[in-house]
Amino acid sequence: MNSRQITRSIGKSGVVASAVGLGTWAIGGWMWGGTDEAESIAAIQASIDAGVLLIDTAPAYGLGRSEEIVGKAIKGRRDRAVIATKCGLNWHSKKGNHFFDQDGTPVNRYLGAEGIAYEVEQSLRRLGTDYIDLYITHWQDPTTPIAETMQALERLKSAGKIRAIGASNLNAAELQQYVGTGQLDAIQERYSMLDREIEQTLLPIARQHQVAALSYSSLALGLLSGAIDPAREFSGDDQRKDNPRFSQANRRKVAALKHALAPVAEVHQASMAQIVIAWTLAQPGITFALCGARNATQALDNARAGEILLSAAELTAIDAAVAGHLVAIDA
């Protein structure tokens, strides 16, 4: 592993990964305006070669497409990669409860034992591996007791098919149930300068039980990257097209924040996105920051953020800039 990359443990599992991780939702294409397989593979391989070994994917990202691309990319690099994928969004059966339709296919939330046993085999096949480092329940299933779900996950762990257990998109009561029924190693939740609710709800519980926290949308779907011009237009199925958070007014606020962060960025010879990621990793309770990339250049830019250590004075300055500029941004 690149010795300059910050590394951290995934809870009490014994699995160690780079603090910056590569999120591959966009690589699956769905809700991101399509995907380019060659560029996606290059992004994953560039990440691993730069020491960003945590690669996060999910079956729902393109109905298996993202996992298949990750599988192709890690061939010959599997021993260096820390692969996180998910279960619980099922388009193979009608069990659970309907969540959404993807390309006309109904997708249900279902975390029953037989569903998990089926899903893990499909993920292993698509990824081209015989084990998954971190297996995460993607969205919570109100039709299945969490105790049943945890028992199924612990059986997979005992069988060597997964190395650590995680849960995503849950509330405080569900998190308490998870930690009360087995060894939960990680949670994965939306967190950024604009999305800080879990600081009061989930992170205190996670820290109490030594559960790692992976932030997703660390750059708020790219809004906080500083690279989206106020005049840019989104097209196709890109989820940002009709998102009020991406209004021109809000993008102008981000541009003002970028200007305010310029002195800190200059000290570290870094971009705004890199400073935002480094800030995220400095927040109490946040263990890993997942950042999307669709080509090798973006992947290497994210990797650089995993080498930046911000001082207490810089963190204070960044917090002041956030408070001053990211006000009344639409949710």
Side-chain angles (χ1 to χ4, degrees):
M1 181 178 287
N2 185 328
S3 61
R4 294 182 298 172
Q5 286 289 324
I6 301 168
T7 60
R8 293 172 176 173
S9 296
I10 301 178
K12 295 181 284 188
S13 68
V15 180
V16 176
S18 54
V20 169
L22 174 65
T24 65
W25 181 9
I27 280 173
W30 174 60
M31 295 183 73
W32 288 91
T35 189
D36 183 302
E37 181 172 308
E39 287 204 338
S40 298
I41 289 172
I44 296 164
Q45 293 179 341
S47 293
I48 295 172
D49 292 344
V52 173
L53 308 188
L54 177 60
I55 311 297
D56 178 81
T57 184
Y61 300 163
L63 298 182
R65 182 70 173 137
S66 177
E67 283 188 328
E68 289 171 351
I69 292 174
V70 170
K72 292 177 182 179
I74 65 174
K75 190 174 183 179
R77 292 172 168 82
R78 179 63 185 98
D79 61 333
R80 295 161 58 197
V82 178
I83 302 299
T85 194
K86 306 176 185 74
C87 61
L89 293 187
N90 190 330
W91 62 93
H92 310 100
S93 77
K94 296 181 180 179
K95 293 183 176 180
N97 69 341
H98 181 259
F99 194 25
F100 58 83
D101 291 338
Q102 184 174 156
D103 297 329
T105 300
V107 177
N108 287 1
R109 290 189 292 184
Y110 183 60
L111 288 168
E114 79 283 2
I116 290 173
Y118 175 82
E119 283 198 69
V120 74
E121 296 300 334
Q122 298 306 303
S123 289
L124 290 170
R125 175 183 58 80
R126 287 189 288 257
L127 291 164
T129 185
D130 57 3
Y131 70 96
I132 292 163
D133 297 286
L134 174 60
Y135 202 43
I136 303 165
T137 57
H138 199 160
W139 286 85
Q140 301 312 304
D141 165 26
T143 72
T144 303
I146 286 174
E148 177 185 335
T149 298
M150 280 296 285
Q151 288 171 2
L153 294 170
E154 288 176 331
R155 283 194 293 270
L156 294 180
K157 191 173 179 180
S158 296
K161 293 188 177 183
I162 67 175
R163 300 177 65 199
I165 296 170
S168 185
N169 300 306
L170 70 171
N171 59 40
E174 290 165 337
L175 177 53
Q176 291 283 18
Q177 290 182 60
Y178 269 103
V179 298
T181 55
Q183 181 181 310
L184 186 73
D185 301 300
I187 57 172
Q188 183 177 137
E189 297 293 330
R190 185 171 79 159
Y191 181 84
S192 74
M193 289 177 172
L194 296 175
D195 304 290
R196 303 180 66 171
E197 295 84 1
I198 66 169
E199 291 178 354
Q200 306 301 321
T201 57
L202 300 179
L203 292 184
I205 302 170
R207 294 170 72 183
Q208 178 186 354
H209 294 277
Q210 298 179 56
V211 174
L214 291 75
S215 70
Y216 71 77
S217 290
S218 305
L219 293 173
L221 303 179
L223 179 61
L224 295 176
S225 69
I228 298 179
D229 185 271
R232 177 175 168 181
E233 295 184 2
F234 300 100
S235 60
D237 73 343
D238 193 316
Q239 61 182 308
R240 297 169 292 184
K241 183 172 64 173
D242 300 315
N243 187 334
R245 181 171 275 187
F246 283 81
S247 68
Q248 289 191 353
N250 286 344
R251 282 184 260 174
R252 285 193 289 270
K253 292 178 183 179
V254 172
L257 175 65
K258 181 178 181 179
H259 179 74
L261 297 184
V264 177
E266 184 176 357
V267 168
H268 294 276
Q269 296 184 314
S271 67
M272 175 179 172
Q274 290 163 344
I275 295 301
V276 170
I277 295 167
W279 174 92
T280 303
L281 289 171
Q283 300 312 297
I286 299 296
T287 321
F288 303 95
L290 300 175
C291 310
R294 303 183 71 168
N295 56 54
T297 299
Q298 293 173 356
L300 292 175
D301 284 345
N302 292 344
R304 170 75 177 89
E307 304 171 0
I308 298 172
L309 288 173
L310 298 169
S311 69
E314 288 171 333
L315 289 168
T316 298
I318 293 170
D319 287 341
V322 169
H325 295 288
L326 296 188
V327 293
I329 290 236
D330 297 321

PDB file of all heavy atoms in Angstrom, residues 269-302:
ATOM      1  N   GLN A 269      -1.175  22.526  -1.790  1.00  0.00           N
ATOM      2  CA  GLN A 269      -1.144  22.350  -3.242  1.00  0.00           C
ATOM      3  C   GLN A 269      -2.250  21.378  -3.660  1.00  0.00           C
ATOM      4  O   GLN A 269      -2.017  20.394  -4.372  1.00  0.00           O
ATOM      5  CB  GLN A 269       0.233  21.860  -3.703  1.00  0.00           C
ATOM      6  CG  GLN A 269       1.351  22.865  -3.428  1.00  0.00           C
ATOM      7  CD  GLN A 269       2.682  22.401  -3.967  1.00  0.00           C
ATOM      8  OE1 GLN A 269       3.086  21.244  -3.782  1.00  0.00           O
ATOM      9  NE2 GLN A 269       3.379  23.287  -4.656  1.00  0.00           N
ATOM     10  N   ALA A 270      -3.452  21.672  -3.200  1.00  0.00           N
ATOM     11  CA  ALA A 270      -4.583  20.769  -3.378  1.00  0.00           C
ATOM     12  C   ALA A 270      -5.769  21.491  -4.006  1.00  0.00           C
ATOM     13  O   ALA A 270      -5.849  22.721  -4.007  1.00  0.00           O
ATOM     14  CB  ALA A 270      -5.001  20.184  -2.026  1.00  0.00           C
ATOM     15  N   SER A 271      -6.694  20.700  -4.531  1.00  0.00           N
ATOM     16  CA  SER A 271      -7.935  21.241  -5.071  1.00  0.00           C
ATOM     17  C   SER A 271      -8.963  21.389  -3.961  1.00  0.00           C
ATOM     18  O   SER A 271      -8.784  20.872  -2.848  1.00  0.00           O
ATOM     19  CB  SER A 271      -8.491  20.304  -6.149  1.00  0.00           C
ATOM     20  OG  SER A 271      -8.906  19.078  -5.542  1.00  0.00           O
ATOM     21  N   MET A 272     -10.074  22.066  -4.285  1.00  0.00           N
ATOM     22  CA  MET A 272     -11.148  22.180  -3.304  1.00  0.00           C
ATOM     23  C   MET A 272     -11.673  20.800  -2.923  1.00  0.00           C
ATOM     24  O   MET A 272     -11.907  20.512  -1.750  1.00  0.00           O
ATOM     25  CB  MET A 272     -12.287  23.027  -3.859  1.00  0.00           C
ATOM     26  CG  MET A 272     -13.507  23.081  -2.925  1.00  0.00           C
ATOM     27  SD  MET A 272     -14.839  24.106  -3.552  1.00  0.00           S
ATOM     28  CE  MET A 272     -16.132  23.753  -2.366  1.00  0.00           C
ATOM     29  N   ALA A 273     -11.856  19.934  -3.906  1.00  0.00           N
ATOM     30  CA  ALA A 273     -12.374  18.593  -3.626  1.00  0.00           C
ATOM     31  C   ALA A 273     -11.466  17.847  -2.655  1.00  0.00           C
ATOM     32  O   ALA A 273     -11.933  17.174  -1.726  1.00  0.00           O
ATOM     33  CB  ALA A 273     -12.521  17.809  -4.924  1.00  0.00           C
ATOM     34  N   GLN A 274     -10.177  17.960  -2.848  1.00  0.00           N
ATOM     35  CA  GLN A 274      -9.226  17.275  -1.967  1.00  0.00           C
ATOM     36  C   GLN A 274      -9.293  17.814  -0.544  1.00  0.00           C
ATOM     37  O   GLN A 274      -9.229  17.048   0.429  1.00  0.00           O
ATOM     38  CB  GLN A 274      -7.818  17.401  -2.540  1.00  0.00           C
ATOM     39  CG  GLN A 274      -7.622  16.599  -3.809  1.00  0.00           C
ATOM     40  CD  GLN A 274      -6.405  17.014  -4.606  1.00  0.00           C
ATOM     41  OE1 GLN A 274      -5.835  18.095  -4.388  1.00  0.00           O
ATOM     42  NE2 GLN A 274      -5.990  16.181  -5.543  1.00  0.00           N
ATOM     43  N   ILE A 275      -9.454  19.106  -0.411  1.00  0.00           N
ATOM     44  CA  ILE A 275      -9.578  19.706   0.928  1.00  0.00           C
ATOM     45  C   ILE A 275     -10.889  19.268   1.579  1.00  0.00           C
ATOM     46  O   ILE A 275     -10.934  18.965   2.777  1.00  0.00           O
ATOM     47  CB  ILE A 275      -9.487  21.245   0.851  1.00  0.00           C
ATOM     48  CG1 ILE A 275      -8.092  21.662   0.370  1.00  0.00           C
ATOM     49  CG2 ILE A 275      -9.798  21.863   2.209  1.00  0.00           C
ATOM     50  CD1 ILE A 275      -6.944  21.190   1.249  1.00  0.00           C
ATOM     51  N   VAL A 276     -11.975  19.216   0.803  1.00  0.00           N
ATOM     52  CA  VAL A 276     -13.263  18.783   1.355  1.00  0.00           C
ATOM     53  C   VAL A 276     -13.178  17.337   1.837  1.00  0.00           C
ATOM     54  O   VAL A 276     -13.685  16.996   2.915  1.00  0.00           O
ATOM     55  CB  VAL A 276     -14.380  18.943   0.304  1.00  0.00           C
ATOM     56  CG1 VAL A 276     -15.670  18.270   0.777  1.00  0.00           C
ATOM     57  CG2 VAL A 276     -14.637  20.417   0.018  1.00  0.00           C
ATOM     58  N   ILE A 277     -12.531  16.472   1.066  1.00  0.00           N
ATOM     59  CA  ILE A 277     -12.382  15.067   1.473  1.00  0.00           C
ATOM     60  C   ILE A 277     -11.526  14.967   2.730  1.00  0.00           C
ATOM     61  O   ILE A 277     -11.847  14.225   3.667  1.00  0.00           O
ATOM     62  CB  ILE A 277     -11.779  14.236   0.330  1.00  0.00           C
ATOM     63  CG1 ILE A 277     -12.739  14.195  -0.867  1.00  0.00           C
ATOM     64  CG2 ILE A 277     -11.475  12.811   0.804  1.00  0.00           C
ATOM     65  CD1 ILE A 277     -12.104  13.658  -2.134  1.00  0.00           C
ATOM     66  N   ALA A 278     -10.424  15.706   2.768  1.00  0.00           N
ATOM     67  CA  ALA A 278      -9.555  15.678   3.942  1.00  0.00           C
ATOM     68  C   ALA A 278     -10.299  16.190   5.175  1.00  0.00           C
ATOM     69  O   ALA A 278     -10.140  15.649   6.281  1.00  0.00           O
ATOM     70  CB  ALA A 278      -8.304  16.518   3.691  1.00  0.00           C
ATOM     71  N   TRP A 279     -11.121  17.223   5.007  1.00  0.00           N
ATOM     72  CA  TRP A 279     -11.947  17.732   6.112  1.00  0.00           C
ATOM     73  C   TRP A 279     -12.896  16.643   6.596  1.00  0.00           C
ATOM     74  O   TRP A 279     -13.082  16.449   7.810  1.00  0.00           O
ATOM     75  CB  TRP A 279     -12.735  18.957   5.643  1.00  0.00           C
ATOM     76  CG  TRP A 279     -13.732  19.472   6.643  1.00  0.00           C
ATOM     77  CD1 TRP A 279     -13.534  20.429   7.600  1.00  0.00           C
ATOM     78  CD2 TRP A 279     -15.108  19.055   6.781  1.00  0.00           C
ATOM     79  NE1 TRP A 279     -14.684  20.619   8.327  1.00  0.00           N
ATOM     80  CE2 TRP A 279     -15.661  19.792   7.851  1.00  0.00           C
ATOM     81  CE3 TRP A 279     -15.900  18.135   6.110  1.00  0.00           C
ATOM     82  CZ2 TRP A 279     -16.984  19.637   8.260  1.00  0.00           C
ATOM     83  CZ3 TRP A 279     -17.215  17.969   6.517  1.00  0.00           C
ATOM     84  CH2 TRP A 279     -17.750  18.718   7.584  1.00  0.00           C
ATOM     85  N   THR A 280     -13.525  15.941   5.658  1.00  0.00           N
ATOM     86  CA  THR A 280     -14.462  14.873   6.010  1.00  0.00           C
ATOM     87  C   THR A 280     -13.787  13.824   6.879  1.00  0.00           C
ATOM     88  O   THR A 280     -14.334  13.395   7.908  1.00  0.00           O
ATOM     89  CB  THR A 280     -15.030  14.222   4.732  1.00  0.00           C
ATOM     90  OG1 THR A 280     -15.656  15.219   3.924  1.00  0.00           O
ATOM     91  CG2 THR A 280     -16.035  13.131   5.069  1.00  0.00           C
ATOM     92  N   LEU A 281     -12.597  13.418   6.489  1.00  0.00           N
ATOM     93  CA  LEU A 281     -11.869  12.385   7.231  1.00  0.00           C
ATOM     94  C   LEU A 281     -11.402  12.866   8.603  1.00  0.00           C
ATOM     95  O   LEU A 281     -11.092  12.050   9.470  1.00  0.00           O
ATOM     96  CB  LEU A 281     -10.661  11.904   6.417  1.00  0.00           C
ATOM     97  CG  LEU A 281     -11.001  11.060   5.187  1.00  0.00           C
ATOM     98  CD1 LEU A 281      -9.755  10.822   4.352  1.00  0.00           C
ATOM     99  CD2 LEU A 281     -11.630   9.732   5.608  1.00  0.00           C
ATOM    100  N   ALA A 282     -11.382  14.169   8.799  1.00  0.00           N
ATOM    101  CA  ALA A 282     -10.961  14.723  10.091  1.00  0.00           C
ATOM    102  C   ALA A 282     -12.120  14.862  11.069  1.00  0.00           C
ATOM    103  O   ALA A 282     -11.900  15.195  12.244  1.00  0.00           O
ATOM    104  CB  ALA A 282     -10.303  16.087   9.884  1.00  0.00           C
ATOM    105  N   GLN A 283     -13.344  14.591  10.622  1.00  0.00           N
ATOM    106  CA  GLN A 283     -14.504  14.762  11.503  1.00  0.00           C
ATOM    107  C   GLN A 283     -14.622  13.591  12.472  1.00  0.00           C
ATOM    108  O   GLN A 283     -14.445  12.432  12.080  1.00  0.00           O
ATOM    109  CB  GLN A 283     -15.779  14.907  10.677  1.00  0.00           C
ATOM    110  CG  GLN A 283     -15.765  16.095   9.730  1.00  0.00           C
ATOM    111  CD  GLN A 283     -15.309  17.379  10.415  1.00  0.00           C
ATOM    112  OE1 GLN A 283     -15.943  17.869  11.347  1.00  0.00           O
ATOM    113  NE2 GLN A 283     -14.187  17.929   9.953  1.00  0.00           N
ATOM    114  N   PRO A 284     -14.907  13.844  13.745  1.00  0.00           N
ATOM    115  CA  PRO A 284     -15.001  12.779  14.747  1.00  0.00           C
ATOM    116  C   PRO A 284     -16.014  11.711  14.349  1.00  0.00           C
ATOM    117  O   PRO A 284     -17.162  12.022  14.023  1.00  0.00           O
ATOM    118  CB  PRO A 284     -15.453  13.530  16.008  1.00  0.00           C
ATOM    119  CG  PRO A 284     -14.988  14.931  15.806  1.00  0.00           C
ATOM    120  CD  PRO A 284     -15.126  15.185  14.344  1.00  0.00           C
ATOM    121  N   GLY A 285     -15.574  10.475  14.339  1.00  0.00           N
ATOM    122  CA  GLY A 285     -16.452   9.359  14.029  1.00  0.00           C
ATOM    123  C   GLY A 285     -16.451   8.934  12.581  1.00  0.00           C
ATOM    124  O   GLY A 285     -16.897   7.825  12.258  1.00  0.00           O
ATOM    125  N   ILE A 286     -15.986   9.782  11.670  1.00  0.00           N
ATOM    126  CA  ILE A 286     -15.922   9.407  10.259  1.00  0.00           C
ATOM    127  C   ILE A 286     -14.606   8.673  10.011  1.00  0.00           C
ATOM    128  O   ILE A 286     -13.524   9.235  10.196  1.00  0.00           O
ATOM    129  CB  ILE A 286     -16.032  10.634   9.333  1.00  0.00           C
ATOM    130  CG1 ILE A 286     -17.380  11.340   9.543  1.00  0.00           C
ATOM    131  CG2 ILE A 286     -15.852  10.217   7.883  1.00  0.00           C
ATOM    132  CD1 ILE A 286     -18.580  10.514   9.158  1.00  0.00           C
ATOM    133  N   THR A 287     -14.703   7.423   9.595  1.00  0.00           N
ATOM    134  CA  THR A 287     -13.515   6.582   9.427  1.00  0.00           C
ATOM    135  C   THR A 287     -13.021   6.574   7.984  1.00  0.00           C
ATOM    136  O   THR A 287     -11.820   6.621   7.720  1.00  0.00           O
ATOM    137  CB  THR A 287     -13.831   5.138   9.852  1.00  0.00           C
ATOM    138  OG1 THR A 287     -14.667   5.138  11.011  1.00  0.00           O
ATOM    139  CG2 THR A 287     -12.553   4.373  10.157  1.00  0.00           C
ATOM    140  N   PHE A 288     -13.975   6.485   7.058  1.00  0.00           N
ATOM    141  CA  PHE A 288     -13.648   6.400   5.631  1.00  0.00           C
ATOM    142  C   PHE A 288     -14.530   7.365   4.851  1.00  0.00           C
ATOM    143  O   PHE A 288     -15.678   7.600   5.223  1.00  0.00           O
ATOM    144  CB  PHE A 288     -13.875   4.975   5.098  1.00  0.00           C
ATOM    145  CG  PHE A 288     -13.103   3.914   5.826  1.00  0.00           C
ATOM    146  CD1 PHE A 288     -13.691   3.206   6.870  1.00  0.00           C
ATOM    147  CD2 PHE A 288     -11.800   3.616   5.470  1.00  0.00           C
ATOM    148  CE1 PHE A 288     -12.991   2.228   7.554  1.00  0.00           C
ATOM    149  CE2 PHE A 288     -11.092   2.636   6.147  1.00  0.00           C
ATOM    150  CZ  PHE A 288     -11.682   1.938   7.196  1.00  0.00           C
ATOM    151  N   ALA A 289     -13.987   7.902   3.772  1.00  0.00           N
ATOM    152  CA  ALA A 289     -14.752   8.777   2.877  1.00  0.00           C
ATOM    153  C   ALA A 289     -14.768   8.147   1.495  1.00  0.00           C
ATOM    154  O   ALA A 289     -13.717   7.932   0.891  1.00  0.00           O
ATOM    155  CB  ALA A 289     -14.131  10.169   2.812  1.00  0.00           C
ATOM    156  N   LEU A 290     -15.967   7.839   1.018  1.00  0.00           N
ATOM    157  CA  LEU A 290     -16.114   7.261  -0.315  1.00  0.00           C
ATOM    158  C   LEU A 290     -16.310   8.377  -1.321  1.00  0.00           C
ATOM    159  O   LEU A 290     -17.161   9.246  -1.143  1.00  0.00           O
ATOM    160  CB  LEU A 290     -17.312   6.310  -0.352  1.00  0.00           C
ATOM    161  CG  LEU A 290     -17.244   5.129   0.617  1.00  0.00           C
ATOM    162  CD1 LEU A 290     -18.540   4.336   0.574  1.00  0.00           C
ATOM    163  CD2 LEU A 290     -16.052   4.233   0.289  1.00  0.00           C
ATOM    164  N   CYS A 291     -15.521   8.325  -2.393  1.00  0.00           N
ATOM    165  CA  CYS A 291     -15.544   9.384  -3.392  1.00  0.00           C
ATOM    166  C   CYS A 291     -15.653   8.752  -4.774  1.00  0.00           C
ATOM    167  O   CYS A 291     -14.882   7.845  -5.107  1.00  0.00           O
ATOM    168  CB  CYS A 291     -14.275  10.230  -3.318  1.00  0.00           C
ATOM    169  SG  CYS A 291     -13.895  10.809  -1.648  1.00  0.00           S
ATOM    170  N   GLY A 292     -16.581   9.236  -5.571  1.00  0.00           N
ATOM    171  CA  GLY A 292     -16.763   8.692  -6.903  1.00  0.00           C
ATOM    172  C   GLY A 292     -15.717   9.196  -7.879  1.00  0.00           C
ATOM    173  O   GLY A 292     -15.167  10.288  -7.732  1.00  0.00           O
ATOM    174  N   ALA A 293     -15.442   8.384  -8.888  1.00  0.00           N
ATOM    175  CA  ALA A 293     -14.543   8.768  -9.975  1.00  0.00           C
ATOM    176  C   ALA A 293     -14.936   7.960 -11.202  1.00  0.00           C
ATOM    177  O   ALA A 293     -15.241   6.771 -11.092  1.00  0.00           O
ATOM    178  CB  ALA A 293     -13.086   8.507  -9.610  1.00  0.00           C
ATOM    179  N   ARG A 294     -14.928   8.608 -12.355  1.00  0.00           N
ATOM    180  CA  ARG A 294     -15.329   7.914 -13.586  1.00  0.00           C
ATOM    181  C   ARG A 294     -14.180   7.766 -14.562  1.00  0.00           C
ATOM    182  O   ARG A 294     -14.343   7.190 -15.634  1.00  0.00           O
ATOM    183  CB  ARG A 294     -16.497   8.655 -14.232  1.00  0.00           C
ATOM    184  CG  ARG A 294     -17.674   8.780 -13.291  1.00  0.00           C
ATOM    185  CD  ARG A 294     -18.872   9.450 -13.910  1.00  0.00           C
ATOM    186  NE  ARG A 294     -19.508   8.601 -14.898  1.00  0.00           N
ATOM    187  CZ  ARG A 294     -20.710   8.854 -15.427  1.00  0.00           C
ATOM    188  NH1 ARG A 294     -21.373   9.925 -15.048  1.00  0.00           N
ATOM    189  NH2 ARG A 294     -21.240   8.060 -16.317  1.00  0.00           N
ATOM    190  N   ASN A 295     -13.000   8.289 -14.192  1.00  0.00           N
ATOM    191  CA  ASN A 295     -11.812   8.100 -15.025  1.00  0.00           C
ATOM    192  C   ASN A 295     -10.584   8.167 -14.136  1.00  0.00           C
ATOM    193  O   ASN A 295     -10.662   8.507 -12.949  1.00  0.00           O
ATOM    194  CB  ASN A 295     -11.757   9.150 -16.148  1.00  0.00           C
ATOM    195  CG  ASN A 295     -11.807  10.569 -15.618  1.00  0.00           C
ATOM    196  OD1 ASN A 295     -11.009  10.965 -14.771  1.00  0.00           O
ATOM    197  ND2 ASN A 295     -12.768  11.356 -16.115  1.00  0.00           N
ATOM    198  N   ALA A 296      -9.440   7.836 -14.701  1.00  0.00           N
ATOM    199  CA  ALA A 296      -8.209   7.737 -13.916  1.00  0.00           C
ATOM    200  C   ALA A 296      -7.799   9.085 -13.330  1.00  0.00           C
ATOM    201  O   ALA A 296      -7.294   9.148 -12.201  1.00  0.00           O
ATOM    202  CB  ALA A 296      -7.085   7.171 -14.782  1.00  0.00           C
ATOM    203  N   THR A 297      -8.029  10.164 -14.054  1.00  0.00           N
ATOM    204  CA  THR A 297      -7.647  11.489 -13.552  1.00  0.00           C
ATOM    205  C   THR A 297      -8.405  11.826 -12.283  1.00  0.00           C
ATOM    206  O   THR A 297      -7.817  12.275 -11.288  1.00  0.00           O
ATOM    207  CB  THR A 297      -7.906  12.557 -14.631  1.00  0.00           C
ATOM    208  OG1 THR A 297      -7.107  12.266 -15.782  1.00  0.00           O
ATOM    209  CG2 THR A 297      -7.549  13.934 -14.103  1.00  0.00           C
ATOM    210  N   GLN A 298      -9.716  11.615 -12.287  1.00  0.00           N
ATOM    211  CA  GLN A 298     -10.516  11.866 -11.098  1.00  0.00           C
ATOM    212  C   GLN A 298     -10.092  10.958  -9.950  1.00  0.00           C
ATOM    213  O   GLN A 298     -10.040  11.391  -8.796  1.00  0.00           O
ATOM    214  CB  GLN A 298     -11.995  11.656 -11.420  1.00  0.00           C
ATOM    215  CG  GLN A 298     -12.572  12.676 -12.383  1.00  0.00           C
ATOM    216  CD  GLN A 298     -13.996  12.333 -12.816  1.00  0.00           C
ATOM    217  OE1 GLN A 298     -14.525  11.284 -12.449  1.00  0.00           O
ATOM    218  NE2 GLN A 298     -14.614  13.207 -13.595  1.00  0.00           N
ATOM    219  N   ALA A 299      -9.785   9.709 -10.258  1.00  0.00           N
ATOM    220  CA  ALA A 299      -9.375   8.760  -9.218  1.00  0.00           C
ATOM    221  C   ALA A 299      -8.085   9.200  -8.545  1.00  0.00           C
ATOM    222  O   ALA A 299      -7.944   9.126  -7.321  1.00  0.00           O
ATOM    223  CB  ALA A 299      -9.212   7.368  -9.824  1.00  0.00           C
ATOM    224  N   LEU A 300      -7.138   9.665  -9.340  1.00  0.00           N
ATOM    225  CA  LEU A 300      -5.864  10.109  -8.777  1.00  0.00           C
ATOM    226  C   LEU A 300      -6.035  11.390  -7.972  1.00  0.00           C
ATOM    227  O   LEU A 300      -5.351  11.591  -6.955  1.00  0.00           O
ATOM    228  CB  LEU A 300      -4.835  10.294  -9.897  1.00  0.00           C
ATOM    229  CG  LEU A 300      -4.395   9.002 -10.597  1.00  0.00           C
ATOM    230  CD1 LEU A 300      -3.470   9.308 -11.769  1.00  0.00           C
ATOM    231  CD2 LEU A 300      -3.702   8.058  -9.605  1.00  0.00           C
ATOM    232  N   ASP A 301      -6.947  12.251  -8.395  1.00  0.00           N
ATOM    233  CA  ASP A 301      -7.235  13.458  -7.617  1.00  0.00           C
ATOM    234  C   ASP A 301      -7.783  13.080  -6.238  1.00  0.00           C
ATOM    235  O   ASP A 301      -7.388  13.662  -5.215  1.00  0.00           O
ATOM    236  CB  ASP A 301      -8.267  14.327  -8.352  1.00  0.00           C
ATOM    237  CG  ASP A 301      -7.665  15.083  -9.530  1.00  0.00           C
ATOM    238  OD1 ASP A 301      -6.426  15.166  -9.613  1.00  0.00           O
ATOM    239  OD2 ASP A 301      -8.446  15.588 -10.363  1.00  0.00           O
ATOM    240  N   ASN A 302      -8.689  12.100  -6.189  1.00  0.00           N
ATOM    241  CA  ASN A 302      -9.230  11.648  -4.913  1.00  0.00           C
ATOM    242  C   ASN A 302      -8.147  11.023  -4.043  1.00  0.00           C
ATOM    243  O   ASN A 302      -8.120  11.212  -2.819  1.00  0.00           O
ATOM    244  CB  ASN A 302     -10.354  10.641  -5.138  1.00  0.00           C
ATOM    245  CG  ASN A 302     -11.590  11.256  -5.772  1.00  0.00           C
ATOM    246  OD1 ASN A 302     -11.753  12.465  -5.781  1.00  0.00           O
ATOM    247  ND2 ASN A 302     -12.456  10.416  -6.300  1.00  0.00           N
TER     248      ASN A 302
END
